[in-house]
Amino acid sequence: MIKCIAIDDQFSSLVGLQKYIEDTPNMRLVQQYTDPITALRELANSETVDVIFMDVEMPQISGLELAKAIRFKTRKLVFTTSHQEYAFDAFEAAGDAYLLKPYSYAKFATTITRLFGQEMTGGTNEDYFLVKNKEEEHRAVMVKYEDIIAFESFHNYIKIYTVEKVIIAYLSLKDVREQLSIKKGFIQLHRGYIVAIDKILYVDGNRITMNNHIGFTVGDIYYNEFKNFISERLIISSRKK
């Protein structure tokens, strides 16, 4: 369990961060502060935690100043602020990450994955990603790349077909291409689908069927890529008929 502390003089920011932490598996918020002086006093005698989320601009003492006093109380330090100009100062203060407000859950999850990937899954942070599932009251769920069969465009969402279930996420296939590690092992041969190559059941002409029996016909604009895909993988006898 990754233990977290949040320090921010804006209560609304703490509420949002708390929700993100609650929605993330294996994370727990153990304490939060709106007063940096109180945080300084109490953390001096507290146990070490895994990560502190800290605002930069706060009354009496800034997050950058507070970091110098309590950095040794946390394994990771993440600065949160509305001001991009503090980014360099945050890293000078031994910050491990920098979240620019207002940050999305996707940005939060990506940051946590980078900092704690191996501890959260027992693998590397390239093995999985976190996504909010509409079918589970928008809780964040772990999705392992090796379990994915296909991504399908679905109105304003996508369906992520896995070996265990179907996840509906408020993403687009463009988000999948740009934000996930799908360059190896996945291919897009239709405007509505990105599929895992090792989960293809069979190819019949220009129609592809996956091992969960969803299927589609290769789109015209993807025909050349499909042709190359087949020619690179199809084994043909060298014997003459």
Side-chain angles (χ1 to χ4, degrees):
M1 184 66 69
I2 296 171
K3 296 180 180 179
C4 316
I5 287 176
I7 307 171
D8 197 313
D9 64 308
Q10 296 181 351
F11 183 72
S12 59
S13 295
L14 287 178
V15 171
L17 178 57
Q18 181 180 8
K19 183 65 167 61
Y20 285 174
I21 292 172
E22 289 175 351
D23 286 346
T24 305
N26 301 325
M27 294 192 77
R28 180 165 66 91
L29 183 64
V30 297
Q31 188 57 272
Q32 58 183 356
Y33 300 95
T34 55
D35 179 11
I37 299 300
T38 301
L40 176 62
R41 182 175 62 252
E42 294 188 4
L43 292 180
N45 299 310
S46 68
E47 295 182 355
T48 300
V49 295
D50 297 298
V51 57
I52 292 178
F53 297 93
M54 188 186 305
D55 189 17
V56 174
E57 286 196 338
M58 294 187 289
Q60 296 181 285
I61 180 172
S62 74
L64 299 174
E65 294 169 325
L66 183 58
K68 296 176 182 178
I70 65 172
R71 181 63 182 85
F72 71 101
K73 286 293 183 176
T74 181
R75 293 168 53 210
K76 303 292 183 181
L77 176 62
V78 178
F79 284 101
T80 62
T81 181
S82 303
H83 304 281
Q84 192 168 5
E85 62 268 23
Y86 289 123
F88 178 77
D89 293 330
F91 287 109
E92 284 288 293
D96 295 284
Y98 185 89
L99 290 171
L100 185 64
K101 298 177 184 178
Y103 50 90
S104 65
Y105 178 78
K107 181 63 176 177
F108 172 84
T110 300
T111 300
I112 295 302
T113 297
R114 177 171 63 81
L115 296 179
F116 297 102
Q118 293 185 355
E119 297 174 42
M120 296 175 76
T121 64
T124 68
N125 57 15
E126 294 298 319
D127 294 336
Y128 77 99
F129 58 91
L130 291 166
V131 67
K132 287 192 174 185
N133 186 7
K134 183 174 181 286
E135 300 297 285
E136 297 181 49
E137 298 180 348
H138 298 281
R139 291 189 180 94
V141 295
M142 295 274 191
V143 182
K144 293 183 178 179
Y145 286 102
E146 65 183 19
D147 293 338
I148 297 171
I149 298 170
F151 301 92
E152 179 187 4
S153 180
F154 180 64
H155 304 299
N156 291 326
Y157 294 80
I158 61 168
K159 288 183 178 180
I160 305 174
Y161 295 93
T162 74
V163 294
E164 294 183 351
K165 60 185 177 181
V166 178
I167 296 165
I168 298 179
Y170 188 65
L171 296 169
S172 65
L173 291 186
K174 180 181 178 182
D175 293 326
V176 172
R177 291 192 302 269
E178 294 179 352
Q179 299 185 42
L180 300 182
S181 300
I182 62 164
K183 293 181 180 179
K184 294 182 180 179
F186 292 83
I187 190 169
Q188 183 168 10
L189 297 173
H190 186 282
R191 64 182 299 178
Y193 291 90
I194 296 174
V195 301
I197 294 172
D198 65 350
K199 303 298 192 304
I200 294 175
L201 185 61
Y202 57 82
V203 178
D204 184 8
N206 64 344
R207 183 164 181 80
I208 292 177
T209 300
M210 307 303 295
N211 63 8
N212 65 346
H213 298 290
I214 66 169
F216 59 90
T217 300
V218 175
D220 292 342
I221 63 174
Y222 299 96
Y223 183 75
N224 288 335
E225 187 173 355
F226 170 68
K227 190 175 179 181
N228 293 334
F229 171 76
I230 293 297
S231 64
E232 290 173 359
R233 291 165 176 81
L234 185 62
I235 299 175
I236 301 175
S237 175
S238 59
R239 293 179 299 174
K240 296 182 180 180
K241 293 183 179 180

